[in-house]
Amino acid sequence: GAGVSQTPSNKVTEKGKYVELRCDPISGHTALYWYRQSLGQGPEFLIYFQGTGAADDSGLPNDRFFAVRPEGSVSTLKIQRTERGDSAVYLCASSTTSGRTQYFGPGTRLTVL
Amino acid sequence: AQKVTQAQTEISVVEKEDVTLDCVYETRDTTYYLFWYKQPPSGELVFLIRRNSFDEQNEISGRYSWNFQKSTSSFNFTITASQVVDSAVYFCALSEGGSEKLVFGKGTKLTVNP
């Protein structure tokens, strides 16, 4: 079956611009996660959704970052006033309600010039 | 606080050699879950295994085996008879019982040379 999909695969933007990154989870998965991976590092947790609500947003670095999942399926990560330090690969993962295993998408590589 | 340490930054072996990737974790929870993921050059994280803290049985899957030892807080991963296709970055991760988030180590880059 189809895995987690993320669009775009690459995004180049200028400092100060607004960007949206999209994640489409595995069908039937109610839990959705966002992580950020900088070069040479492991992924770092940003936010977790169970259904439509953000159950844990403790990893969001500041108020420029926001994520939504209005219908409990697709999620959008929104970054306002981008900074060069936001450049990274943004990973999305999903899992079933009862499961602990997270399945990852291919990521969106964000470059802020 | 939860933490995962992968002390080996890079390992290089010749094909058919056995290789062990180390993972040491820290947590105060008695219920937790440990994971290994593979990240090939294409970039997508591939799930390999999940263990919970109540199951210390070692596991074998083909050429892969995992050694979970609570006494040393370690969850090591061994590849037997390595192949070039095993070249990737391998991540160990931990999630505590009351939290869904994964905490990852910094990864070990494995290169298997022909």
Side-chain angles (χ1 to χ4, degrees):
Chain A
V4 178
S5 63
Q6 292 186 246
T7 55
S9 55
N10 277 285
K11 177 71 177 178
V12 180
T13 190
E14 293 180 345
K15 180 175 179 293
K17 298 288 189 183
Y18 168 84
V19 297
E20 290 190 352
L21 311 179
R22 176 189 166 109
C23 172
D24 204 336
I26 293 171
S27 178
H29 280 193
T30 56
L32 185 146
Y33 313 79
W34 285 97
Y35 292 81
R36 178 167 71 172
Q37 186 175 21
S38 301
L39 195 61
Q41 303 294 317
E44 292 181 310
F45 170 79
L46 295 175
I47 187 169
Y48 152 58
F49 287 90
Q50 184 61 257
T52 60
D56 182 355
D57 64 357
S58 62
L60 295 178
N62 52 58
D63 61 6
R64 295 186 298 106
F65 288 74
F66 189 71
V68 296
R69 195 185 184 202
E71 297 177 357
S73 178
V74 171
S75 176
T76 305
L77 178 65
K78 309 179 180 196
I79 310 174
Q80 299 177 323
R81 305 183 304 281
T82 51
E83 299 177 356
R84 293 197 180 86
D86 298 335
S87 296
V89 176
Y90 288 81
L91 297 167
C92 177
S94 69
S95 71
T96 60
T97 303
S98 57
R100 276 278 175 166
T101 300
Q102 296 178 26
Y103 298 93
F104 283 80
T108 294
R109 181 175 298 279
L110 175 66
T111 303
V112 182
L113 301 176
Chain B
Q2 46 185 333
K3 184 180 177 182
V4 174
T5 301
Q6 294 181 254
Q8 304 149 307
T9 306
E10 292 193 41
I11 299 175
S12 183
V13 299
V14 176
E15 210 169 15
K16 297 184 184 175
E17 281 186 39
D18 298 347
V19 58
T20 294
L21 310 181
D22 297 334
C23 173
V24 173
Y25 62 92
E26 294 177 31
T27 178
R28 293 178 182 162
D29 267 16
T30 55
T31 302
Y32 53 88
Y33 301 83
L34 295 163
F35 303 79
W36 276 95
Y37 284 85
K38 173 181 180 181
Q39 190 171 45
S42 61
E44 190 158 342
L45 278 163
V46 177
F47 166 73
L48 296 178
I49 190 172
R50 180 188 85 212
R51 304 296 286 177
N52 72 54
S53 52
F54 299 109
D55 183 1
E56 276 192 85
Q57 273 196 327
N58 292 328
E59 182 152 340
I60 298 174
S61 176
R63 297 184 297 106
Y64 294 171
S65 62
W66 291 269
N67 184 350
F68 177 24
Q69 290 198 338
K70 288 175 75 169
S71 61
T72 56
S73 297
S74 65
F75 186 43
N76 296 337
F77 173 28
T78 298
I79 302 174
T80 303
S82 59
Q83 299 177 1
V84 172
V85 293
D86 295 327
S87 296
V89 180
Y90 290 85
F91 290 97
C92 181
L94 164 74
S95 76
E96 293 179 331
S99 171
E100 295 289 325
K101 71 178 182 183
L102 291 176
V103 173
F104 285 83
K106 292 189 175 182
T108 297
K109 182 179 180 181
L110 173 66
T111 303
V112 181
N113 299 296

